């Protein structure tokens, strides 16, 4: 039986359909499409960055649980400023209590997708230090553990 870490073969094994994984993969390509249209002048990453085994008999998606894919970089041109943008799949954010250091202030995060934005004139590290960097996470599995606290 295929492992759940493979990139696509488990989706249709023996007629079984993993709807949650299909949705996750569909959303990846939807977000990647938006990102490429808005931030890369419609330039998509090379197919080899998304699918492995193209030179053999069994191509397979590189999208896998717990494996980071990307980052894909670009620039977003708004009406008043330009922003650097990075799109990643399965990027981890470790807990940190030091505000200008990258990470999570509350708990370890492992969102499915992250788009990171910061002003074009800054490096990512400098934008992080000056708290000018924003992460937008997309993940269907976020949950509230204690609804009464909220």
């Amino acid at each position: 039986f295929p492992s759940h870490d493979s990139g696509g073969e488990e989706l249709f094994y023996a007629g079984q359909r993993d709807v949650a994984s299909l949705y996750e993969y569909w959303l990846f390509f939807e977000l990647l499409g938006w990102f490429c249209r808005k931030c890369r002048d419609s330039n998509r990453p090379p197919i080899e960055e998304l699918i492995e085994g193209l030179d053999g008999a069994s191509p397979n998606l590189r999208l896998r649980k717990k494996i980071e894919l990307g980052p894909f970089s670009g620039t977003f041109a708004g009406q008043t400023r330009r922003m650097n943008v990075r799109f990643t799949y399965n990027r981890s954010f470790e807990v940190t209590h030091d505000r200008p250091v990258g990470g999570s202030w509350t708990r370890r995060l492992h969102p499915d997708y992250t788009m990171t934005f910061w002003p074009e004139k800054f490096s990512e590290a400098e934008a992080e230090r000056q708290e000018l960097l924003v992460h937008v996470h997309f993940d269907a599995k976020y949950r509230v553990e204690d609804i009464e606290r909220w």
Side-chain angles (χ1 to χ4, degrees):
F1 195 79
S3 78
H4 287 280
D5 291 336
S6 57
E9 60 198 31
E10 82 275 7
L11 294 176
F12 295 107
Y13 183 74
Q16 174 183 337
R17 290 177 180 84
D18 183 346
V19 175
S21 292
L22 281 171
Y23 176 75
E24 185 174 319
Y25 295 172
W26 171 81
L27 186 55
F28 171 81
F29 286 106
E30 286 294 312
L31 290 170
L32 181 65
W34 179 91
F35 173 78
C36 290
R37 283 189 308 278
K38 299 291 186 181
C39 305
R40 290 176 59 127
D41 293 324
S42 295
N43 294 321
R44 290 189 172 267
I47 194 72
E48 295 80 11
E49 288 185 35
L50 305 174
I51 299 176
E52 62 189 12
L54 288 171
D55 54 351
S58 357
N60 202 19
L61 286 173
R62 289 187 188 271
L63 299 176
R64 300 206 178 123
K65 304 283 185 199
K66 300 180 184 161
I67 295 178
E68 186 174 327
L69 183 61
F72 305 106
S73 299
T75 305
F76 181 82
Q79 292 187 11
T80 59
R81 67 167 70 166
R82 293 175 59 85
M83 306 289 285
N84 289 317
V85 185
R86 184 180 61 208
F87 175 57
T88 52
Y89 173 76
N90 277 338
R91 181 177 173 195
S92 293
F93 295 84
E94 299 298 327
V95 174
T96 181
H97 298 291
D98 189 4
R99 282 187 71 158
V101 175
S104 170
W105 299 338
T106 55
R107 61 175 37 195
R108 185 174 188 268
L109 293 176
H110 194 80
D112 291 336
Y113 316 100
T114 301
M115 286 204 195
T116 304
F117 298 84
W118 68 96
E120 185 182 45
K121 66 181 181 177
F122 293 95
S123 70
E124 183 176 358
E126 182 61 26
E128 185 84 64
R129 272 193 296 283
Q130 292 192 37
E131 297 183 2
L132 298 172
L133 182 140
V134 174
H135 300 290
V136 179
H137 303 296
F138 301 87
D139 196 310
K141 298 176 296 294
Y142 282 145
R143 65 184 175 276
V144 175
E145 291 176 355
D146 184 1
I147 195 72
E148 298 301 319
R149 273 188 13 193
W150 302 98

